[in-house]
Amino acid sequence: MNFFAANLAGLSLIALSLFGCASPRPNAQQFDLGPLPALASTPAASERTIKVQDISAPAWLDSQAMLYRLHYANAQQALPYANSRWHMPPPQMLTQRLKSRLAQAGVRVLAGNDGVVAPSLRIELDDFSQHFSQAQQSQAGFSWRVSLIAGRQLLAQKTFTQQVAAPRADAIGGAQALALASDRAIDELLLWLSNQPQVK
């Protein structure tokens, strides 16, 4: 390559980089779980005091990325939406939601590190993503493992899963389906908790 050609190539690269900087990128949409729904008519776990520990999750779920899987292409790969994100990582978002829903049901809610002696909920989030069975058909995939603990004793444990069809085959539809799946899982947790014996 001669000197003139080298300079021309360099100028072309500079022009392309400037064009890239000048081109506006769409702002990322941010989603949360929406307003609290009306309390379901399931038996409430009222008159209880519960410590709620921060929900834990594997590293791939512990970020603001909105994840989806293409089951018809490669179900083993969780992919992030390019321009859509959660308002906060799902474990934090769900911890807040759970505390609010428990309080709404009449439960006295304490932080996991509170010094008051009371049973605690320990929750591990296993799935919080959108699953595409076809290009235009998807559903929310939600799963968490809930443990009720008193001191060092495991009182009860159960895994709750939800699958909710997404109304749209995009991030908006996924966010709506995951919000509904989350609230349904919390309703199930409330019913389960109401059937557990009171322990102090």
Side-chain angles (χ1 to χ4, degrees):
M1 179 181 293
N2 59 34
F3 179 77
F4 175 77
N7 280 346
L8 184 60
L11 289 172
S12 297
L13 286 173
I14 292 172
L16 285 172
S17 67
L18 288 174
F19 178 78
C21 292
S23 300
R25 287 188 172 185
N27 292 327
Q29 301 180 89
Q30 290 199 342
F31 296 89
D32 58 23
L33 298 177
L36 283 176
L39 186 63
S41 58
T42 56
S46 58
E47 300 304 317
R48 288 176 180 262
T49 300
I50 294 287
K51 294 182 181 181
V52 178
Q53 300 185 20
D54 291 341
I55 294 173
S56 63
W60 65 276
L61 276 176
D62 199 7
S63 76
Q64 290 176 257
M66 292 187 69
L67 301 173
Y68 63 93
R69 293 180 186 271
L70 303 178
H71 285 258
Y72 59 87
N74 182 6
Q76 281 70 48
Q77 187 176 22
L79 302 168
Y81 277 105
N83 296 308
S84 300
R85 297 167 62 81
W86 292 113
H87 180 67
M88 62 180 66
Q92 296 179 32
M93 193 164 55
L94 288 165
T95 299
Q96 289 187 1
R97 186 69 154 200
L98 176 60
K99 287 180 177 180
S100 297
R101 295 292 305 280
L102 286 168
Q104 185 186 40
V107 179
R108 294 181 291 268
V109 181
L110 302 174
N113 58 359
D114 195 290
V116 174
V117 176
S120 65
L121 285 175
R122 180 181 299 167
I123 299 177
E124 299 168 79
L125 184 65
D126 294 322
D127 190 17
F128 191 80
S129 59
Q130 188 175 4
H131 298 252
F132 283 84
S133 55
Q134 303 174 28
Q136 297 300 320
Q137 185 174 342
S138 68
Q139 61 185 9
F142 181 101
S143 178
W144 62 11
R145 185 168 57 260
V146 180
S147 301
L148 180 63
I149 299 170
R152 297 184 178 181
Q153 181 183 3
L154 176 64
L155 302 177
Q157 185 178 78
K158 185 174 181 179
T159 295
F160 298 88
T161 60
Q162 286 287 332
Q163 294 181 338
V164 176
R168 299 170 42 156
D170 57 10
I172 294 174
Q176 292 173 350
L178 282 164
L180 182 55
S182 302
D183 286 331
R184 287 181 178 177
I186 293 173
D187 285 341
E188 285 189 341
L189 188 156
L190 282 169
L191 179 58
W192 173 78
L193 187 60
S194 70
N195 291 323
Q196 303 305 316
Q198 290 268 20
V199 177
K200 296 183 179 181

